[in-house]
Amino acid sequence: MDDAPFTQRTVAVLGPKGAWEKEYGRPSVGGCLQTLLYVLSLAAPTAGAGWMLLWALGGGGGEAPVDVAGVASLMSVVITVVSEFVYRNRPRATAMAAVRKVYLAHIVPGLITIGMAVSGSLADPEVGGSLWWLIPVVADVLVHVALWVRRVTVKTGPRNPIENVEQSVRELTPAVRERVLAERNAAVDRLLGQGKIDAETASRAKLSALGMMSLTVAGEARSSYYPEAHEGIDPR
């Protein structure tokens, strides 16, 4: 599924560890950029809060770096909003525990920054810095509190990793779907011809829905992501 990376990723999650490492382990320019932006959105609020904390621990000399924290949070908000827009067009289920950690990485540093900026301004308006820079910080906190409370953004989206696969397969164009299915069945025939699988296994494999072979044929090799009980899966 090299030409369908989003589908490839969801399918690899249901397969054994080797499927993830070998099939989806190759980096791409787009993937690297997406990862860098994701890391930036997580690190920016913490960096802003850390800058404020260094200022406070240094005795509070000079104007508080509220502008630095504000710019960092502004970048974070922009990345989050764009990510949410992309997500609504391609919804996927994620583990709620992981999502909460991401939200806390925005909320906690933001509250720290707000607290230090406000207290510094009250103590000395000349030193506290411009509180206008707190607007993006407050926005970042409110956005992630809202996401935490809302939980479900697309009620008709996938609810677990299996539905992620089904959704990603539906998103493929008919031409790509037919090509991938033909190549998969050709690979099954090659394994049968080499004597590596029997006729019954080959038949079951070719009857499997696209992307579901790891569950219908090789269920014993499924990954730990397989939702035996769908608890802990956030419908995102």
Side-chain angles (χ1 to χ4, degrees):
M1 293 186 177
D2 284 348
D3 296 335
F6 291 104
T7 305
Q8 186 186 58
R9 180 182 185 278
T10 57
V11 171
V13 168
L14 291 185
K17 186 177 180 180
W20 179 270
E21 293 178 341
K22 296 178 181 179
E23 282 296 317
Y24 196 68
R26 297 183 296 276
S28 64
V29 175
C32 290
L33 179 59
Q34 184 178 18
T35 300
L36 287 174
L37 290 175
Y38 179 72
V39 172
L40 177 61
S41 71
L42 288 177
T46 302
W51 206 267
M52 290 289 294
L53 186 60
L54 287 175
W55 168 78
L57 293 176
E63 187 174 336
V66 185
D67 55 341
V68 175
V71 171
S73 291
L74 180 60
M75 291 189 295
S76 175
V77 169
V78 170
I79 294 172
T80 299
V81 171
V82 173
S83 297
E84 282 298 306
F85 177 77
V86 172
Y87 164 71
R88 290 190 66 84
N89 292 326
R90 190 178 282 113
R92 295 291 183 269
T94 57
M96 190 59 193
V99 174
R100 283 174 179 154
K101 292 176 183 178
V102 172
Y103 296 165
L104 287 174
H106 291 266
I107 296 171
V108 174
L111 293 177
I112 292 174
T113 297
I114 294 170
M116 288 190 294
V118 171
S119 61
S121 182
L122 292 175
D124 187 347
E126 297 296 326
V127 173
S130 175
L131 295 185
W132 287 107
W133 282 107
L134 286 182
I135 293 177
V137 180
V138 173
D140 192 37
V141 172
L142 292 179
V143 164
H144 288 88
V145 168
L147 290 175
W148 187 316
V149 173
R150 186 175 56 178
R151 295 179 58 127
V152 181
T153 57
V154 181
K155 294 184 179 181
T156 58
R159 303 281 167 165
N160 54 65
I162 294 178
E163 291 185 9
N164 280 349
V165 173
E166 294 171 342
Q167 175 70 25
S168 64
V169 169
R170 283 195 297 268
E171 291 171 354
L172 296 175
T173 64
V176 172
R177 203 158 41 232
E178 290 175 7
R179 178 185 58 76
V180 173
L181 191 60
E183 291 179 355
R184 186 202 70 175
N185 290 342
V188 172
D189 289 336
R190 186 163 62 250
L191 291 174
L192 178 62
Q194 294 172 350
K196 295 181 178 179
I197 59 175
D198 55 34
E200 191 273 334
T201 300
S203 177
R204 283 196 298 126
K206 295 175 73 172
L207 289 174
S208 298
L210 188 60
M212 293 297 176
M213 191 182 295
S214 61
L215 304 182
T216 58
V217 179
E220 70 282 355
R222 69 191 180 199
S223 76
S224 59
Y225 288 93
Y226 178 83
E228 293 181 88
H230 294 166
E231 299 177 0
I233 298 295
D234 176 34
R236 287 178 51 81

